[in-house]
Amino acid sequence: MSTSKVAVVTGGNKGIGLAIVKALCSKYNGDVFLTARNIDLGQEAVKKLEAEGLKVKFHQLDINDEESIKKLGTDLQASHGGIDVLVNNAGMAFKGADTTPFATQAKVTLQTNFIGTLNACKILMPIVKPGGRVVNVSSLLSKSTLQKCSGELQKIYRSDTITEEKLGSMMNEFIEAAQTDKHGALGYPNTAYGVSKLGVTVMTRIHAKLMREQGKNDILVNACCPGWVRTDMAGPKATKSPEEGAETPVYLALLPEGATEPHGQFVSEKKVQEW
């Protein structure tokens, strides 16, 4: 078993994920795993980084496949005794001009961005080692979406007592309501991506609370917004480079040993945002 620390980035073969991997390869004192759903694309990304003189490892991971998540967890438990840094970056978005029906967009977007990320956390967080860091890449849209929700929904999503089970059932209710265009009647705005990232931010707050309750106070769990970044997802007009988008996730991944804050927070531009 390796004595090296280990960092894992999901959705690491392009865009913000690749920029996070690249930064960690330079700054993190340990092994860095780039993970990707597609093995060929993942290994291609690794070769590009190696050509730049960086050391990086690869592991296949599809967050929509629980067996794939379990395989990553089992392999890292065997090779490194667990995980030190987990960056949940994998996600997707339909483009604004996409004509896919909203019902489908809601189902597909929440399946990856919320349900897939939640499953990755459920399976991988138990093997995060003492002093570990968990970073969930969310979006400022999670905050603006919350503000556009009904007062009743805002109260629940801001509550310190909401559970993972309650959150999961509410996200599923949104998907079901969207199938018949009734999500507005439930109090939600018309954004599947925004609701999916709202779920990620609230999940982060819940998981930080669970760490405290389990006495794992040295494991810090945070959500962040990378900003509007020039990627396949956001397009060429976005204001930030992928490297700039990686700054806040990497800052949270590398919070120094002994740090107690931020924890359970939503962070943008390295600053805690009010939720």
Side-chain angles (χ1 to χ4, degrees), residues 69-109:
I69 304 170
K70 285 175 185 169
K71 174 89 168 67
L72 173 69
T74 303
D75 288 353
L76 286 173
Q77 183 84 57
S79 65
H80 290 76
I83 297 172
D84 295 282
V85 172
L86 173 62
V87 182
N88 287 306
N89 164 76
M92 60 80 63
F94 286 89
K95 289 193 168 27
D98 200 301
T99 55
T100 303
F102 188 79
T104 305
Q105 291 197 25
K107 201 168 187 175
V108 173
T109 306

Side-chain angles (χ1 to χ4, degrees), residues 110 114-115 167-177:
L110 268 80
F114 176 72
I115 297 168
L167 175 62
S169 71
M170 288 178 74
M171 290 285 121
N172 281 319
E173 280 167 14
F174 170 79
I175 296 169
E176 284 170 29

Side-chain angles (χ1 to χ4, degrees), residues 100-175:
T100 303
F102 188 79
T104 305
Q105 291 197 25
K107 201 168 187 175
V108 173
T109 306
L110 268 80
Q111 173 57 50
T112 297
N113 294 359
F114 176 72
I115 297 168
T117 303
L118 176 63
N119 285 337
C121 286
K122 280 182 173 177
I123 294 166
L124 299 176
M125 278 184 67
I127 65 165
V128 171
K129 295 187 240 176
R133 305 287 181 253
V134 179
V135 183
N136 297 320
V137 177
S138 185
S139 166
L140 276 173
L141 275 172
S142 70
K143 191 174 175 182
S144 61
T145 299
L146 175 67
Q147 290 162 344
K148 290 175 187 169
C149 285
S150 68
E152 190 181 340
L153 286 177
Q154 288 188 42
K155 193 176 173 186
I156 297 168
Y157 285 130
R158 285 194 172 107
S159 159
D160 290 332
T161 56
I162 184 172
T163 62
E164 192 182 272
E165 291 70 28
K166 174 70 172 171
L167 175 62
S169 71
M170 288 178 74
M171 290 285 121
N172 281 319
E173 280 167 14
F174 170 79
I175 296 169

Side-chain angles (χ1 to χ4, degrees), residues 3-20:
T3 55
S4 294
K5 286 191 169 186
V6 61
V8 179
V9 182
T10 73
N13 61 292
K14 63 179 182 177
I16 297 165
L18 182 59
I20 293 170

Side-chain angles (χ1 to χ4, degrees), residues 33-53:
F33 274 82
L34 180 158
T35 73
R37 185 177 50 183
N38 182 301
I39 292 173
D40 291 338
L41 293 177
Q43 290 178 335
E44 201 177 293
V46 165
K47 279 179 188 160
K48 280 182 190 168
L49 293 177
E50 287 176 339
E52 293 179 37

